[in-house]
Amino acid sequence: MSTDMYGVRVLAVNPDELRARLRVFVVYYDVGSRTHVPLPNEEPNTFLHFLWEAASGYLGSGDERTGPLGHAVSTSQLLDYEWADANARRFISRVERVELRNFPLTDDQWEDMHDFYYVRDGSWKDEDLLVQAEYEIRVTDRRWLEPLTVGDGWGSAAFPLNGDSWSAEDAPHIPDLARPAVTLRPFQTTTGDVEYDHVNAMGFSDDGAYLAVCSDQGRVWVYDTADWSEVVHAHAGDWIVPLMMWVPGGHVLVVKSYSSGGEPEEEEQWAYDVDRRSEVEAPFQRGHLRSPDGTYRISPNGAGEGGFDLHGDEREPFRRVSHAGGWDPIQCTAFSGDSSRLFLGAQENLYTVDPATGEVIDKIDGASKRLFALAANKDGGYLAVGSFSRRLGYLGFHEERPHELCVWRMADKKIIFGRQMRTYVEALSWSPDNRWLAAALEPLSDESFNNGSTELVVFPMGPVDD
């Protein structure tokens, strides 16, 4: 028999309006360490479990669930956490926490707590004293609420998951991570030793006509996004940590060495005109990353924060970005497609900068246990993030550290969409026409890691339900 984590009580239910209000109690504590399981967040997965447990009914004579939600969702589906992550929003369209009580518990309150609370005839001992919250939920079909009655109460062994919660309004602006448009394998067309080589940079041209890729050993590939054919396969030379950038307004690509920011960059680069299929001379491209309109560039600074400064084409940065007030090294960066926002991903924290002023205008503390790659859509309303998985515990990856590819809705700073990868996410790039998200994915295998096995997976916009 599973130990209950939560108690659930129905406070209000209106099937015609597809809504209900639930009170959720924490009923599992560790009094010795004064800790308890967290209250559910606002993602739909846990609440699908709650409704399924209440509304699916007991097993009938044919060993089938008798309630409407029990007929729609089988036990095996509910316990398949990847399925539940992706599909819970098809049943629970919205969850909002509207009231919080008895949190955090005071020292005096802990003195009266027990480790376990069991439901007896729909209630719990000292129910009003337990850590609890009230939630307004919306469902997609009145049938999921019809079995509920105000006052119903039941225990649940469900635990918080991390599933999709995007809406129809979000769909045109986020990539369909479940249905790649194409998978490209650049190293399949190369020759020579690829040991230790992998994709370390990727970017669409300003008009979205091409996707360029650069490897750690200076190999360069360019793909025509009309049909994803390889149109350039070249070697840019030997550079110390190659850094790739498009020259603004055209199809000229440059590769240069990564600069540390301790002194002005050496003005050396390799330049290639994709239209002419030939090496050319081009103005030196400063910085580590430029805004899509070419107005802003960023270069490492010496502010003691591990961050970047803003500048244009001039040799010295003109605007310092003080992102943290202390040491918080930036791991990944991205401009929005309209150049109005600069996103800086530190190891765990995510900063939003107004490049016109250099000011940090928003921050997400603890955005991830580790951030690796960022890409922003045109207006910066949505951010694709490669990070450590939120799901290792319940998907059974244990000590392996694959990455998760998530989509953040920046209006409310919520992860609304995610896919657990069986790879590392090396780089991300969002096309300027908002049609594609490209991801460079590196295998987990010790034999193939950084040995010419990186795949480029291109996702179209607009996820659909199965």
Side-chain angles (χ1 to χ4, degrees), residues 277-288:
R277 306 291 197 269
S278 64
E279 296 184 22
V280 294
E281 295 294 323
F284 181 71
Q285 299 302 298
R286 299 191 183 280
H288 282 202

Side-chain angles (χ1 to χ4, degrees), residues 372 386-392 395-405 419-425 442-444:
F372 295 100
S387 60
F388 268 162
S389 174
R390 300 170 293 161
R391 309 170 178 186
L392 288 173
L395 291 185
F397 286 97
H398 305 297
E399 295 304 317
E400 289 188 337
R401 302 297 293 183
H403 292 176
E404 186 176 4
L405 182 50
R419 285 293 175 271
Q420 175 62 59
M421 315 305 289
R422 267 66 179 177
T423 64
Y424 301 114
V425 179
E442 184 72 17
L444 291 174

Side-chain angles (χ1 to χ4, degrees), residues 157-350:
F159 57 90
L161 303 177
N162 296 284
D164 297 345
S165 58
W166 55 275
S167 68
E169 290 75 20
D170 298 314
H173 310 290
I174 60 178
D176 187 348
L177 301 182
R179 296 173 179 80
V182 65
T183 298
L184 305 169
R185 298 174 175 84
F187 288 97
Q188 284 190 351
T189 63
T190 196
T191 57
D193 185 8
V194 296
E195 189 174 8
Y196 307 121
D197 205 6
H198 65 284
V199 168
N200 75 335
M202 178 172 61
F204 286 94
S205 59
D206 292 344
D207 59 3
Y210 296 110
L211 175 65
V213 178
C214 182
S215 82
D216 189 59
Q217 294 181 16
R219 292 181 168 94
V220 173
W221 300 264
V222 180
Y223 298 91
D224 188 326
T225 60
D227 58 6
W228 302 108
S229 60
E230 182 186 282
V231 296
V232 172
H233 186 181
H235 191 266
D238 296 323
W239 302 93
I240 301 173
V241 188
L243 194 153
M244 183 189 73
M245 194 181 304
W246 289 96
V247 176
H251 296 149
V252 175
L253 192 68
V254 302
V255 177
K256 60 180 183 175
S257 284
Y258 186 99
S259 62
S260 65
E263 55 188 47
E265 289 184 274
E266 293 287 337
E267 295 194 12
E268 297 182 11
Q269 67 183 18
W270 173 87
Y272 192 92
D273 190 318
V274 175
D275 294 331
R276 294 166 55 185
R277 306 291 197 269
S278 64
E279 296 184 22
V280 294
E281 295 294 323
F284 181 71
Q285 299 302 298
R286 299 191 183 280
H288 282 202
L289 179 72
R290 71 167 174 86
S291 61
D293 63 4
T295 301
Y296 307 108
R297 298 169 187 271
I298 59 174
S299 295
N301 67 25
E305 298 183 27
F308 290 85
D309 285 335
L310 285 152
H311 59 98
D313 291 328
E314 67 280 356
R315 188 174 181 86
E316 295 293 336
F318 64 81
R319 188 172 294 124
R320 171 146 291 172
V321 178
S322 182
H323 68 277
W327 182 246
D328 195 16
I330 299 301
Q331 311 292 323
C332 47
T333 60
F335 279 99
S336 62
D338 62 7
S339 304
S340 67
R341 294 291 181 264
L342 168 63
F343 299 98
L344 303 176
Q347 182 159 318
E348 298 178 352
N349 304 318
L350 179 62

Side-chain angles (χ1 to χ4, degrees), residues 64-82:
E64 295 292 334
R65 291 283 175 174
T66 59
L69 197 53
H71 289 303
V73 180
S74 69
T75 305
S76 60
Q77 286 175 314
L78 194 71
L79 297 180
D80 180 342
Y81 299 131
E82 287 189 273

Side-chain angles (χ1 to χ4, degrees), residues 412-428:
D412 54 6
K413 300 184 234 181
K414 290 183 179 179
I415 299 174
I416 59 171
F417 197 26
R419 285 293 175 271
Q420 175 62 59
M421 315 305 289
R422 267 66 179 177
T423 64
Y424 301 114
V425 179
E426 297 281 82
L428 294 169

Side-chain angles (χ1 to χ4, degrees), residues 352-371:
T352 303
V353 175
D354 180 353
T357 64
E359 298 296 324
V360 174
I361 58 176
D362 210 347
K363 178 187 177 184
I364 302 176
D365 291 301
S368 169
K369 290 184 178 179
R370 184 69 185 271
L371 295 164

